[in-house]
Amino acid sequence: MQFEIIYQGLELLVYGMGTVVLFLALLILTTMLMSRVIQRYFPEPQVEIVAAPAAPAQAPSAAVIDDEQLVAVITAAIHQHRKGQ
Amino acid sequence: MQFEIIYQGLELLVYGMGTVVLFLALLILTTMLMSRVIQRYFPEPQVEIVAAPAAPAQAPSAAVIDDEQLVAVITAAIHQHRKGQ
Amino acid sequence: MQFEIIYQGLELLVYGMGTVVLFLALLILTTMLMSRVIQRYFPEPQVEIVAAPAAPAQAPSAAVIDDEQLVAVITAAIHQHRKGQ
Amino acid sequence: MENLMTLWGSSGLAQMEVGQGIMILIGLLLLFLAIRKGFEPLLLLPIGFGGILANIPGAGLAYSALENALHQGDAVLLAEIASYLGVSAGSGIESLMKAFYSAAPTAQLAVESVVSAAGYSDGMLHSFYTVAIASGVAPLVIFMGVGAMTDFGPLLANPKTLFLGAAAQFGIFATVIGAVGLTAIGWMDFSIADAAAIGIIGGADGPTAIYVSSVLAPDLLGAIAVAAYSYMALVPLIQPPIMRALTTKRERAIEMTQLRAVSKREKVVFPLLLLILVALLLPAAAPLLGMFCFGNLMKECGVVERLSDTVQNSLINITTIFLGLSVGSKLVADKFLDSSTLGILGLGIVAFAIGTASGVLMAKLMNLLSRVPLNPLIGSAGVSAVPMAARVSNKVGLEANPHNFLLMHAMGPNVAGVIGSAVAAGVMISLVGS
Amino acid sequence: MENLMTLWGSSGLAQMEVGQGIMILIGLLLLFLAIRKGFEPLLLLPIGFGGILANIPGAGLAYSALENALHQGDAVLLAEIASYLGVSAGSGIESLMKAFYSAAPTAQLAVESVVSAAGYSDGMLHSFYTVAIASGVAPLVIFMGVGAMTDFGPLLANPKTLFLGAAAQFGIFATVIGAVGLTAIGWMDFSIADAAAIGIIGGADGPTAIYVSSVLAPDLLGAIAVAAYSYMALVPLIQPPIMRALTTKRERAIEMTQLRAVSKREKVVFPLLLLILVALLLPAAAPLLGMFCFGNLMKECGVVERLSDTVQNSLINITTIFLGLSVGSKLVADKFLDSSTLGILGLGIVAFAIGTASGVLMAKLMNLLSRVPLNPLIGSAGVSAVPMAARVSNKVGLEANPHNFLLMHAMGPNVAGVIGSAVAAGVMISLVGS
Amino acid sequence: MENLMTLWGSSGLAQMEVGQGIMILIGLLLLFLAIRKGFEPLLLLPIGFGGILANIPGAGLAYSALENALHQGDAVLLAEIASYLGVSAGSGIESLMKAFYSAAPTAQLAVESVVSAAGYSDGMLHSFYTVAIASGVAPLVIFMGVGAMTDFGPLLANPKTLFLGAAAQFGIFATVIGAVGLTAIGWMDFSIADAAAIGIIGGADGPTAIYVSSVLAPDLLGAIAVAAYSYMALVPLIQPPIMRALTTKRERAIEMTQLRAVSKREKVVFPLLLLILVALLLPAAAPLLGMFCFGNLMKECGVVERLSDTVQNSLINITTIFLGLSVGSKLVADKFLDSSTLGILGLGIVAFAIGTASGVLMAKLMNLLSRVPLNPLIGSAGVSAVPMAARVSNKVGLEANPHNFLLMHAMGPNVAGVIGSAVAAGVMISLVGS
Ligand code: NA
Ligand code: NA
Ligand code: NA
């Protein structure tokens, strides 16, 4: 009985972790393919730079905190840093 | 059986369309009466011009699209047109 | 039967009113105690004056009416009145 | 031709009963009072409109599926229903409904199945009522919103005004005596639960009144809600004469000392303190006061502003609409047009008057016992009816002394009255309920 | 190893049926139309997404607990269910479901208990559908919101345009004839209730179409809603050729006299007037038109602005999301991929065309009988599809005469069309419903 | 006198049990953490408040009608209930409840009817729980809102960071092993379903944890939700030591290349791509990830802004309030005060730690295999806890190299972690559920 549940747990570990990794690997592949197709065949005239001005994903854990100020500070710092180089 | 359902359909057409027309005719009559009573016995000091500046009924089909710009353009055009005459 | 219900009503009066008064009396005591403890041991640097600028409890009966203007007028009046003294 | 008869037979005119016509007029009157006279429009507009909808002949919007079947079904259907309930089909709708409520659960299930198969379903307003009021949820959500809109600052600055909020609840219990008295002399026929629900009108607090009557006297809910909101709107007419009659001009001119500053921390702790007291002493008041304190804590704690905003706006507005329409469903003619409604309207105004008087007299008593001067006019604000009653205190005070600004002083007893009537509601539910 | 089989067996690829694949593509097509072509995106986006979710193989999101048990349960479970229903376990899902619906209530209860004990529960979209549409509440709330966004000013300034709104409903009833005709010649197999629900597509009003089909033909609801919203989006393509074909250039160039001023008071009284007429004559239309009038009264009365704002924003938005997803649940392959869907799509566009033509012809007829000039182009706006159809009238009018601004004139018949199709819906429910 | 005893007997003090007192203190502690320490206040404030309400003695707010009857009913009522269930009345509440759940549906119906006739009804929090969580709807709606607030830009610019989000889910499964291990050695008594629900705490995603435990282990839901949100708030304390221990200063100072521009079109297609993959491979994750993708599509498509706004504001706020209160209902003393709660709290923090470590180590592994430099600090963000974990990565990175801005780079694995734990949730429900 005791080994039974440990066995079940190990099974869950193997199949669960396996599925997560496989699924996300497939997602990586299809996402890269999708991006390439769109960039080549359906390019957009105007693009947006992700690294700096885009606001980060806000609050998926329902904790909505304003990151914009932080981003603004960081962006400014990066610019200054680059200028300095 | 086949004629039965056609007969039912025709009935629906006659009674349905009849009710719609009768009901809206009654609504016209009572609305005109209501408007006349209000205009005569309960006039309001300030009135609003419907034709031009009032925004149109927005989006009863849940498709909310901003008509104000369109109305503004039209209003301007009407004014210019009238001035020109 | 008739006296029965009157008796029940009187009981409700005595116990009901008694509970209300006792409960609110206890609330007064604990509130005063709480305020004293906070004022002595956990004072706040910045305080707010309740009498004048604080907006009154708005609309607990779901009738939300803007009291701020009224309060502003009253506050101004009080200030003028005090200045005049 | 048969269709023409169906259409005419299903039209309102052909089925209209006198009572329904009267109720539609009463609904229009409520709309008039709400729109033109500004009588608590947020509630009386939906209530009035719901009342009209509930009385549209043949639409059955306020009836359950079974009631609709009993009103509109043919003889065969009625006979089948009656056979399941073990009564005669000709014994009238009311006795069939009673038989249904006391039937065995499997018989109820069978009847519901038959009714549904015959194409009858719950009316729109009946569904709203079931979800919003019978479940108790709408008044509680409103109370949470009220909590999120209440500022306990003035009360915290002068906690003794809680006594004024307590005294004004005497109107509630005096009215209970009135209701049982009318029953004892045979003019009315109220149970003790009915009397308690009627008394709560004197609490001058809409959601509390609806909550209590949904538990103790659902059949009287329509009349009680209409009375509560109407009289709350009439506070500026009802209170001043009583206030003037019970005070001297000198008393009315008393100026009160400025309220002390109240810290944020006190405001955060107060709803928790109230909650703990309720938990220890009066669990029956826990739903109402618990939600009230929760709303107030969300407002004062400062870390969940987005929740507090939603509670004060979209959530309370959505709930108000469905609460109002649901109350309207109880204005259906065969429930509302009853001598008891007149009794309720009469007792309700007595409750307001006694509550007002008790508050004023308590303030005078407190003046005898304490050196800190108290203007007795703020006593009347203890009935709640926030913020109307506090404004009335202020206005009557200004008449006597143009330098006398009682508004903030009256807000203390005013919000105390909300707590007081919720406590009274708890006592009644725990003593009379079930 | 067994787990690997469980995982693979529970994957979508292993369970995918052709129909589900097709429906997922159709869902993606609806999303494309909504996002790239701007086809009524507020509804078609949730409907399309819901359609994809409904067809995820093995997820059973659109099925009830019982349907999920019948699709995925093992032989033992099916045998147990079948024994309660008194049929053979091998008789197929459809006949088991039919047996369930006609079973005695205690047998239904027993089946539900078995299904729940076996771990099956209602799919997410099925729950949404039950709460939002089967109860009737979502279309009614949308209609309240539509009422709160409607301005009856242009209609009040020229009430005769109500006739145009009446005439355009001819498309509804002509389509009913078409549907019963297709049945009579054996191409389709619609009941009279189905035909009525299909006809209502011609009303060019989404919530009305969903409400009527939820009552009269729930199985066709998916196709009807998709047709209604798609054709509403296609109004700028469907209407102009018909309008041009039925009018001369001279008629299209007619300039209309400016609309008179309408007082606030008339706007407040109008929804009440409409409500009273509905109450007296057509109780079956009371839910739809009652909520519509309630919304409009909240907007116009001016004393409950916070309620009106919420109705026009958060409440209608929340309801739209769940309404759309719920409609999507009816795009499940085994219900949608049916020859009847093609029939519905075909009949729907005929309904729009006939409605448009009827409106234009009625305007021409009215021109013959009255001296006040009426541009026949505003007749087509009578189908509703607010405000798209009114804009089409304006645009076609400008082509013929660049000084001809018909927008406000077309808004009258446009909102009249909403009332007209709600009236038609009431008639159909009262004549055909059960 | 009898009334006085009724009142005192119904007071909280007279009925208070030690466990309830402790739970009220725990509720106050949660409020303190939420308000003063800023621990996920949007959830922990309602949860803590709900926990206090649930433990008010005698109020029974967290109990069903039957539980309330069993706790407060007299001997006669208990005997009647027990006779329907075929057990002895003295066998204790717990065994009576078990007998009820395994009773025949007609017996259940009879018991419910008796309980309701005796005046007992579902407690307020029990009703909230039934509607919001037992139905599964509240976590799904929250997930839709989260989707509408998520920007996949950083992830699309560097999709390989999805591997980090995958690796960090190892914490989930390692914790499952821990839970079954504790059971095997006899310290705890978790079933495999319990273990799976506990493991999901390591997903660092509140709604996912609540959704999974509502399906797999409703009795543990309170402890699991409290652990999940508490540890999410503690991420800035839990993660940095682990991150520093597993990396060299040099690794922490690695600067990453700027992210490429991502087009609007990619952002619109991505949620659809994810949805299709889910549909084909993992239907059990379809409710969670379907709603997530729906929210994200509404945000990115740009044509339904009013829906997206409502989803991100009033809808998610309303849902959060009732979700929190509902979770609080599971903090009722006799369910929460159990040795298993301590086990859950302990296992939960282990899950967080292992997830953090796995993410960092995976980043180091990827650095070995690829030329593009990857700062291993962003690996810890793979646990999700958006956006807290990404900020922690940024902060620790800045300590090592003041020119090193990792925030946007860490957002990729951060949102990948949300997808990863939803996938893990799907696997668990499909392997362990029912
Ligand atoms: Na009160
Ligand atoms: Na129409
Ligand atoms: Na995660």
Side-chain angles (χ1 to χ4, degrees):
Chain A
M1 190 61 199
Q2 292 179 333
F3 290 100
E4 172 67 9
I5 198 171
I6 289 204
Y7 179 73
Q8 287 178 313
L10 286 172
E11 257 189 353
L12 205 55
L13 167 66
V14 172
Y15 292 110
M17 201 61 207
T19 307
V20 170
V21 170
L22 270 178
F23 186 90
L24 294 194
L26 248 166
L27 186 57
I28 292 176
L29 285 181
T30 49
T31 301
M32 292 174 86
L33 186 71
M34 178 270 283
S35 284
R36 203 153 303 167
V37 168
I38 286 183
Q39 284 174 315
R40 181 163 307 171
Y41 301 106
F42 308 96
E44 274 183 351
Q46 78 286 28
V47 291
E48 100 190 66
I49 306 298
V50 169
Q58 281 192 346
S61 54
V64 175
I65 303 143
D66 200 350
D67 264 2
E68 282 181 39
Q69 215 179 349
L70 181 57
V71 173
V73 170
I74 291 169
T75 313
I78 292 174
H79 278 263
Q80 279 212 323
H81 169 63
R82 298 233 165 97
K83 247 188 252 166
Q85 286 183 322
Chain B
M1 189 62 198
Q2 292 179 332
F3 290 100
E4 172 68 9
I5 198 171
I6 289 203
Y7 179 72
Q8 286 178 314
L10 286 172
E11 257 190 353
L12 204 55
L13 168 66
V14 173
Y15 292 110
M17 200 61 207
T19 309
V20 170
V21 170
L22 269 178
F23 186 90
L24 293 195
L26 249 166
L27 186 58
I28 293 177
L29 285 181
T30 50
T31 302
M32 292 174 86
L33 186 70
M34 178 271 284
S35 284
R36 202 153 304 167
V37 168
I38 285 183
Q39 283 174 315
R40 180 164 309 172
Y41 301 105
F42 307 96
E44 274 184 352
Q46 77 285 29
V47 291
E48 98 189 69
I49 306 297
V50 169
Q58 280 190 344
S61 56
V64 174
I65 302 143
D66 201 351
D67 265 1
E68 281 179 40
Q69 216 180 349
L70 181 58
V71 172
V73 169
I74 292 169
T75 314
I78 294 174
H79 277 263
Q80 279 212 326
H81 169 63
R82 296 231 167 98
K83 247 189 253 163
Q85 288 184 322
Chain C
M1 190 61 198
Q2 292 181 330
F3 290 100
E4 172 67 11
I5 199 172
I6 289 204
Y7 179 73
Q8 286 179 313
L10 286 172
E11 257 189 354
L12 205 55
L13 167 66
V14 172
Y15 293 109
M17 200 62 207
T19 308
V20 170
V21 170
L22 269 178
F23 186 89
L24 293 195
L26 248 166
L27 186 58
I28 293 176
L29 285 181
T30 50
T31 301
M32 292 175 86
L33 186 70
M34 178 270 284
S35 285
R36 203 152 303 166
V37 169
I38 285 182
Q39 285 174 314
R40 181 163 309 171
Y41 301 104
F42 308 96
E44 274 184 352
Q46 77 286 30
V47 291
E48 98 189 68
I49 306 298
V50 169
Q58 280 191 347
S61 54
V64 174
I65 301 141
D66 200 352
D67 265 1
E68 282 180 39
Q69 215 179 349
L70 181 57
V71 172
V73 170
I74 293 168
T75 313
I78 294 174
H79 278 264
Q80 279 212 323
H81 169 64
R82 299 234 163 97
K83 247 188 252 165
Q85 285 184 323
Chain D
M1 199 57 212
E2 202 190 325
N3 265 0
L4 208 61
M5 290 312 296
T6 306
L7 266 178
W8 166 248
S10 75
S11 83
L13 271 176
Q15 302 180 63
M16 175 80 81
E17 292 161 20
V18 179
Q20 293 171 324
I22 295 175
M23 286 313 299
I24 288 179
L25 293 178
I26 291 178
L28 290 172
L29 173 69
L30 289 176
L31 294 181
F32 175 80
L33 293 176
I35 297 173
R36 291 300 302 278
K37 299 291 173 191
F39 272 32
E40 297 278 343
L42 292 173
L43 262 297
L44 285 188
L45 189 100
I47 291 176
F49 206 96
I52 297 175
L53 289 178
N55 287 285
I56 295 182
L61 296 182
Y63 290 134
S64 69
L66 175 56
E67 284 171 303
N68 274 325
L70 295 180
H71 276 99
Q72 300 176 1
D74 54 18
V76 178
L77 181 65
L78 261 71
E80 193 177 356
I81 293 172
S83 79
Y84 278 115
L85 299 175
V87 293
S88 123
S91 54
I93 290 177
E94 217 167 311
S95 68
L96 278 166
M97 287 305 294
K98 262 187 202 156
F100 176 79
Y101 286 125
S102 58
T106 46
Q108 292 180 339
L109 214 63
V111 166
E112 277 162 4
S113 168
V114 163
V115 162
S116 158
Y120 293 97
S121 56
D122 288 348
M124 174 181 81
L125 296 176
H126 185 272
S127 304
F128 290 173
Y129 181 86
T130 307
V131 172
I133 298 188
S135 72
V137 75
L140 295 174
V141 170
I142 302 265
F143 231 61
M144 173 168 67
V146 169
M149 291 193 268
T150 297
D151 178 6
F152 280 118
L155 183 71
L156 286 166
N158 191 4
K160 281 178 197 155
T161 55
L162 274 163
F163 271 133
L164 302 175
Q169 309 316 315
F170 186 70
I172 292 178
F173 297 99
T175 308
V176 174
I177 300 297
V180 299
L182 288 178
T183 301
I185 61 175
W187 288 15
M188 294 283 158
D189 182 28
F190 296 127
S191 70
I192 184 74
D194 292 345
I198 295 168
I200 210 75
I201 298 173
D205 190 276
T208 302
I210 292 173
Y211 184 78
V212 170
S213 34
S214 76
V215 175
L216 297 181
D219 281 348
L220 306 180
L221 190 146
I224 288 173
V226 167
Y229 283 105
S230 303
Y231 294 144
M232 279 159 67
L234 287 173
V235 148
L237 296 181
I238 298 173
Q239 289 197 323
I242 300 168
M243 292 157 75
R244 290 196 201 97
L246 294 176
T247 50
T248 63
K249 166 121 207 243
R250 195 170 185 170
E251 285 171 329
R252 292 200 293 277
I254 294 175
E255 287 188 29
M256 292 183 63
T257 51
Q258 201 185 325
L259 292 172
R260 74 165 175 89
V262 170
S263 71
K264 192 82 197 143
R265 206 160 277 171
E266 288 168 82
K267 289 189 179 181
V268 174
V269 174
F270 182 74
L272 292 171
L273 185 73
L274 177 53
L275 174 71
I276 298 298
L277 273 188
V278 168
L280 295 184
L281 299 176
L282 207 63
L288 272 179
L289 282 174
M291 291 304 270
F292 185 69
C293 291
F294 182 47
N296 192 248
L297 182 65
M298 282 197 280
K299 177 196 174 221
E300 298 294 358
C301 74
V303 292
V304 292
E305 256 167 61
R306 56 181 291 160
L307 300 186
S308 168
D309 280 355
T310 296
V311 165
Q312 292 177 49
N313 291 293
S314 40
L315 184 54
I316 201 173
N317 291 342
I318 292 172
T319 312
T320 300
I321 289 168
F322 290 104
L323 182 77
L325 290 175
S326 303
V327 170
S329 79
K330 290 287 180 184
L331 301 195
V332 70
D334 49 10
K335 288 173 187 162
F336 191 88
L337 287 182
D338 192 290
S339 64
S340 67
T341 297
L342 281 182
I344 290 168
L345 291 175
L347 288 165
I349 199 156
V350 170
F352 265 66
I354 297 181
T356 302
S358 310
V360 173
L361 293 175
M362 172 58 93
K364 293 178 71 163
L365 179 67
M366 284 170 75
N367 264 347
L368 291 181
L369 302 176
S370 152
R371 283 146 314 162
V372 191
L374 208 62
N375 189 315
L377 291 178
I378 70 169
S380 63
V383 298
S384 40
V386 189
M388 198 78 86
R391 281 196 214 150
V392 168
S393 298
N394 189 64
K395 187 164 154 277
V396 179
L398 282 173
E399 288 169 14
N401 172 357
H403 303 308
N404 203 359
F405 299 99
L406 294 174
L407 187 64
M408 292 317 295
H409 297 284
M411 287 312 297
N414 212 188
V415 298
V418 176
I419 299 174
S421 42
V423 170
V427 180
M428 282 171 165
I429 289 176
S430 104
L431 284 183
V432 178
S434 81
Chain E
M1 200 58 214
E2 202 190 325
N3 264 0
L4 208 62
M5 290 313 297
T6 307
L7 267 178
W8 166 248
S10 75
S11 83
L13 270 177
Q15 303 180 63
M16 176 80 81
E17 292 161 19
V18 179
Q20 293 172 323
I22 295 175
M23 286 313 299
I24 289 178
L25 292 179
I26 291 179
L28 289 172
L29 173 69
L30 289 176
L31 294 182
F32 175 80
L33 293 176
I35 296 174
R36 291 299 302 278
K37 301 290 172 191
F39 272 32
E40 296 278 343
L42 292 173
L43 263 296
L44 284 188
L45 189 100
I47 291 177
F49 206 95
I52 297 175
L53 289 177
N55 288 285
I56 293 182
L61 296 182
Y63 290 133
S64 70
L66 174 56
E67 284 171 303
N68 275 324
L70 295 181
H71 276 98
Q72 300 175 1
D74 54 17
V76 179
L77 181 65
L78 260 71
E80 195 177 355
I81 294 172
S83 79
Y84 279 114
L85 299 176
V87 293
S88 124
S91 54
I93 290 176
E94 218 167 308
S95 68
L96 279 165
M97 288 304 295
K98 263 188 201 156
F100 176 79
Y101 286 125
S102 59
T106 46
Q108 292 181 338
L109 213 63
V111 167
E112 276 162 4
S113 169
V114 164
V115 162
S116 158
Y120 293 99
S121 56
D122 288 347
M124 175 181 83
L125 296 176
H126 185 271
S127 304
F128 290 173
Y129 181 85
T130 307
V131 172
I133 297 188
S135 72
V137 75
L140 294 174
V141 170
I142 301 265
F143 231 61
M144 173 167 67
V146 168
M149 292 194 268
T150 297
D151 177 6
F152 281 118
L155 182 70
L156 287 166
N158 191 4
K160 280 176 198 155
T161 55
L162 274 164
F163 271 132
L164 302 175
Q169 309 316 316
F170 186 69
I172 293 178
F173 297 100
T175 308
V176 174
I177 300 297
V180 299
L182 288 179
T183 300
I185 60 174
W187 288 15
M188 294 283 156
D189 182 27
F190 296 127
S191 70
I192 184 74
D194 293 344
I198 295 168
I200 210 77
I201 298 174
D205 189 277
T208 302
I210 292 173
Y211 184 77
V212 170
S213 34
S214 76
V215 176
L216 296 182
D219 280 348
L220 307 181
L221 191 145
I224 289 174
V226 167
Y229 282 105
S230 302
Y231 294 144
M232 280 160 66
L234 287 173
V235 148
L237 295 181
I238 299 173
Q239 290 197 322
I242 301 168
M243 293 157 75
R244 290 195 200 97
L246 294 177
T247 51
T248 63
K249 167 121 206 244
R250 193 170 186 171
E251 284 171 330
R252 293 198 292 277
I254 294 175
E255 287 190 30
M256 294 182 63
T257 51
Q258 202 186 324
L259 293 172
R260 75 167 173 88
V262 170
S263 72
K264 192 83 198 142
R265 206 160 278 171
E266 288 168 81
K267 290 189 179 180
V268 174
V269 174
F270 181 75
L272 293 171
L273 185 72
L274 177 54
L275 174 71
I276 298 298
L277 273 188
V278 168
L280 295 185
L281 299 176
L282 206 63
L288 271 180
L289 282 173
M291 292 303 271
F292 185 70
C293 292
F294 181 48
N296 192 249
L297 182 66
M298 283 197 280
K299 176 196 174 222
E300 298 294 357
C301 73
V303 292
V304 293
E305 256 166 62
R306 56 181 291 158
L307 300 187
S308 168
D309 280 355
T310 296
V311 165
Q312 291 177 49
N313 291 291
S314 39
L315 184 54
I316 200 173
N317 290 342
I318 292 172
T319 312
T320 299
I321 289 169
F322 290 103
L323 181 77
L325 290 174
S326 303
V327 169
S329 80
K330 290 288 180 185
L331 300 196
V332 71
D334 50 10
K335 287 174 187 160
F336 191 87
L337 286 182
D338 191 290
S339 64
S340 67
T341 297
L342 280 182
I344 290 168
L345 291 174
L347 288 165
I349 198 157
V350 170
F352 265 66
I354 297 182
T356 303
S358 311
V360 173
L361 293 175
M362 171 59 91
K364 293 178 70 162
L365 179 67
M366 285 170 74
N367 263 347
L368 290 182
L369 301 176
S370 153
R371 282 149 312 163
V372 191
L374 208 61
N375 189 316
L377 291 178
I378 71 169
S380 63
V383 298
S384 38
V386 189
M388 198 78 86
R391 281 196 215 151
V392 168
S393 300
N394 189 64
K395 188 164 153 277
V396 178
L398 282 173
E399 287 170 14
N401 173 356
H403 302 308
N404 203 1
F405 299 98
L406 296 173
L407 187 65
M408 292 316 295
H409 297 284
M411 287 311 297
N414 213 188
V415 299
V418 177
I419 300 174
S421 42
V423 171
V427 180
M428 280 172 166
I429 289 174
S430 105
L431 284 184
V432 177
S434 76
Chain F
M1 200 56 213
E2 201 190 325
N3 264 1
L4 207 62
M5 291 312 296
T6 305
L7 266 179
W8 166 248
S10 75
S11 84
L13 270 177
Q15 302 180 64
M16 175 80 82
E17 292 162 21
V18 179
Q20 292 171 323
I22 295 175
M23 287 312 299
I24 289 178
L25 292 178
I26 291 179
L28 289 172
L29 173 69
L30 289 176
L31 294 182
F32 175 80
L33 294 176
I35 297 174
R36 291 299 304 277
K37 300 290 173 190
F39 273 33
E40 296 278 343
L42 293 174
L43 262 296
L44 285 187
L45 189 100
I47 291 177
F49 206 96
I52 298 175
L53 290 177
N55 288 285
I56 294 181
L61 296 181
Y63 290 135
S64 69
L66 175 57
E67 284 171 304
N68 275 325
L70 295 180
H71 276 99
Q72 300 177 1
D74 54 17
V76 178
L77 180 64
L78 260 71
E80 194 177 355
I81 293 172
S83 79
Y84 279 115
L85 298 176
V87 293
S88 123
S91 55
I93 290 175
E94 217 167 309
S95 67
L96 279 166
M97 287 304 294
K98 263 188 201 155
F100 176 78
Y101 286 125
S102 58
T106 45
Q108 291 180 340
L109 213 64
V111 167
E112 276 162 5
S113 169
V114 164
V115 162
S116 158
Y120 293 98
S121 56
D122 287 347
M124 174 182 82
L125 296 176
H126 185 272
S127 305
F128 290 173
Y129 181 85
T130 307
V131 172
I133 297 188
S135 72
V137 75
L140 294 175
V141 170
I142 301 265
F143 232 61
M144 174 168 66
V146 168
M149 291 194 269
T150 296
D151 177 5
F152 280 118
L155 183 70
L156 286 166
N158 192 4
K160 281 177 199 155
T161 54
L162 274 163
F163 270 133
L164 302 174
Q169 309 316 316
F170 186 70
I172 293 179
F173 297 100
T175 308
V176 173
I177 300 296
V180 299
L182 288 178
T183 301
I185 60 175
W187 288 15
M188 294 282 156
D189 183 27
F190 296 128
S191 69
I192 184 74
D194 293 345
I198 295 168
I200 211 76
I201 298 174
D205 190 278
T208 301
I210 293 173
Y211 185 78
V212 170
S213 34
S214 76
V215 175
L216 296 182
D219 280 348
L220 307 180
L221 191 146
I224 289 174
V226 167
Y229 283 104
S230 302
Y231 294 144
M232 279 159 67
L234 286 173
V235 149
L237 295 181
I238 298 173
Q239 289 197 322
I242 300 168
M243 293 157 75
R244 290 196 201 96
L246 294 176
T247 50
T248 63
K249 169 120 206 244
R250 193 167 184 175
E251 285 171 330
R252 294 200 291 278
I254 294 175
E255 286 189 30
M256 292 182 64
T257 50
Q258 202 185 325
L259 292 173
R260 75 165 174 88
V262 170
S263 72
K264 192 83 197 143
R265 206 161 278 171
E266 288 168 82
K267 290 189 179 181
V268 174
V269 173
F270 182 74
L272 293 172
L273 185 72
L274 177 54
L275 174 71
I276 297 298
L277 273 188
V278 169
L280 295 185
L281 299 176
L282 207 64
L288 272 179
L289 282 174
M291 292 303 270
F292 185 69
C293 293
F294 182 47
N296 192 249
L297 182 66
M298 282 197 280
K299 176 196 174 220
E300 298 293 358
C301 74
V303 293
V304 293
E305 257 167 60
R306 55 182 292 160
L307 300 186
S308 168
D309 280 356
T310 296
V311 164
Q312 291 177 49
N313 291 293
S314 40
L315 184 54
I316 201 173
N317 291 342
I318 293 171
T319 312
T320 299
I321 290 168
F322 290 104
L323 181 77
L325 290 174
S326 303
V327 169
S329 80
K330 290 288 179 181
L331 300 195
V332 71
D334 49 11
K335 287 174 189 161
F336 191 87
L337 286 181
D338 191 291
S339 63
S340 67
T341 297
L342 282 182
I344 290 168
L345 291 174
L347 288 165
I349 198 157
V350 170
F352 265 66
I354 296 181
T356 303
S358 311
V360 173
L361 293 175
M362 172 59 93
K364 292 178 71 163
L365 179 68
M366 286 169 72
N367 264 347
L368 291 182
L369 302 176
S370 153
R371 284 147 311 164
V372 191
L374 207 62
N375 188 315
L377 291 177
I378 70 170
S380 63
V383 298
S384 41
V386 190
M388 197 80 84
R391 283 197 213 149
V392 168
S393 299
N394 189 64
K395 189 164 152 277
V396 178
L398 281 173
E399 287 169 14
N401 173 356
H403 302 309
N404 202 359
F405 299 98
L406 295 174
L407 187 65
M408 292 317 294
H409 297 285
M411 288 311 297
N414 213 188
V415 298
V418 177
I419 299 175
S421 41
V423 170
V427 180
M428 281 171 166
I429 290 175
S430 105
L431 285 184
V432 177
S434 79

